[in-house]
Amino acid sequence: MATITATQHHHHPTSLEEVRTLWIGDLQFWVDESYLNSCFAHTGELVSIKIIRNKITGQPEGYGFVEFVSHQAAERILQTYNGTTMPGTDQMFRLNWASFGIGERRTDPGLEHSIFVGDLAPDVTDYLLQETFRAHYPSVRGAKVVTDPNTGRSKGYGFVKFADEMERNRAMTEMNGVYCSTRAMRISAATPKKTTAGFQQQYAVAKAVYPVPAYTIRD
């Protein structure tokens, strides 16, 4: 039986091909390391699991990281599990590469350049949105499709983050109207958030800010 163990060394990937850790998000409050271990341990390729918790309350923040023995193993899990139903729930697995999730919490949020992407098809995932942009812009650091916290379904919009401001600016023009899945994307600037909480806080605020009629109704 596979068990999760703390790694004695820290793996610092220098490229996407070296990343062997997956970000897992939209987790229910009761999901813990033991539950996720039961989901992935049978692969025989699990190294460690970490659910991020609030430093003050100790409550889960709704996301975590799952490390595997290799990039290839992590990629198999991402392609096999992402979008499938989590055991014992009616919620889908939401997985993505952790390349943007780990490092960016140690980075000045001011160095990130985001865009808002609207009119997303219901089947567009974080990974699909990220790869749609990454194919054209190497500095893409991640993407997030905003979902309804109760149903887990997409709200039809999201964000893409870039390390390079020039690429962000190009993407706003070049990718506007480009298809992602079955719909043409509508792109605009993401409103900067002056907070110290970074990634998670930005999207928590955005949930309240962006669902306005101007983004959802067309003539």
Side-chain angles (χ1 to χ4, degrees), residues 119-135:
D119 288 352
L120 294 176
D123 63 336
V124 172
T125 61
D126 295 350
Y127 181 65
L128 177 58
L129 184 60
Q130 171 183 294
E131 294 307 301
T132 298
F133 281 84
R134 198 196 290 273

Side-chain angles (χ1 to χ4, degrees), residues 7 9-13 15-24 45-52 63-75 77-78 95-103 105 127 130 134:
T7 50
H9 64 282
H10 294 285
H11 179 66
H12 293 291
S15 69
L16 181 64
E17 287 68 32
E18 292 184 27
V19 176
R20 63 189 192 197
T21 301
L22 297 180
W23 172 90
I24 183 167
E45 298 175 310
L46 180 63
V47 174
S48 65
I49 296 172
K50 180 175 180 61
I51 290 178
I52 305 304
Y63 70 102
F65 300 98
V66 186
E67 183 181 359
F68 296 90
V69 295
S70 67
H71 175 82
Q72 291 74 20
E75 187 166 33
I77 295 297
L78 177 61
L95 299 165
N96 203 341
W97 290 111
S99 55
F100 68 94
I102 296 174
R105 297 206 316 277
Y127 181 65
Q130 171 183 294
R134 198 196 290 273

Side-chain angles (χ1 to χ4, degrees), residues 69-184:
V69 295
S70 67
H71 175 82
Q72 291 74 20
E75 187 166 33
R76 281 195 297 273
I77 295 297
L78 177 61
Q79 294 177 352
T80 303
Y81 283 83
N82 195 32
T84 64
T85 304
M86 300 176 72
T89 76
D90 58 0
Q91 191 167 351
M92 303 297 183
F93 276 107
R94 188 166 183 190
L95 299 165
N96 203 341
W97 290 111
S99 55
F100 68 94
I102 296 174
E104 91 183 2
R105 297 206 316 277
R106 305 183 190 126
T107 305
D108 179 0
L111 299 178
E112 298 167 354
H113 308 283
S114 301
I115 60 174
F116 171 89
V117 185
D119 288 352
L120 294 176
D123 63 336
V124 172
T125 61
D126 295 350
Y127 181 65
L128 177 58
L129 184 60
Q130 171 183 294
E131 294 307 301
T132 298
F133 281 84
R134 198 196 290 273
H136 303 280
Y137 311 103
S139 78
V140 168
R141 295 181 60 186
K144 184 171 182 66
V145 176
V146 177
T147 58
D148 185 300
N150 298 316
T151 66
R153 293 195 178 102
S154 168
K155 289 190 172 184
Y157 63 94
F159 303 89
V160 180
K161 298 211 290 190
F162 299 78
D164 185 282
E165 186 176 11
M166 293 286 289
E167 288 193 358
R168 190 278 305 269
N169 294 340
R170 279 177 45 215
M172 287 185 62
T173 302
E174 297 170 358
M175 297 298 283
N176 195 40
V178 171
Y179 273 75
C180 181
S181 183
T182 58
R183 291 186 189 170

Side-chain angles (χ1 to χ4, degrees), residues 201-214:
Q201 181 68 24
Q202 177 179 351
Y203 293 117
V205 173
K207 286 182 181 180
V209 173
Y210 283 112
V212 295

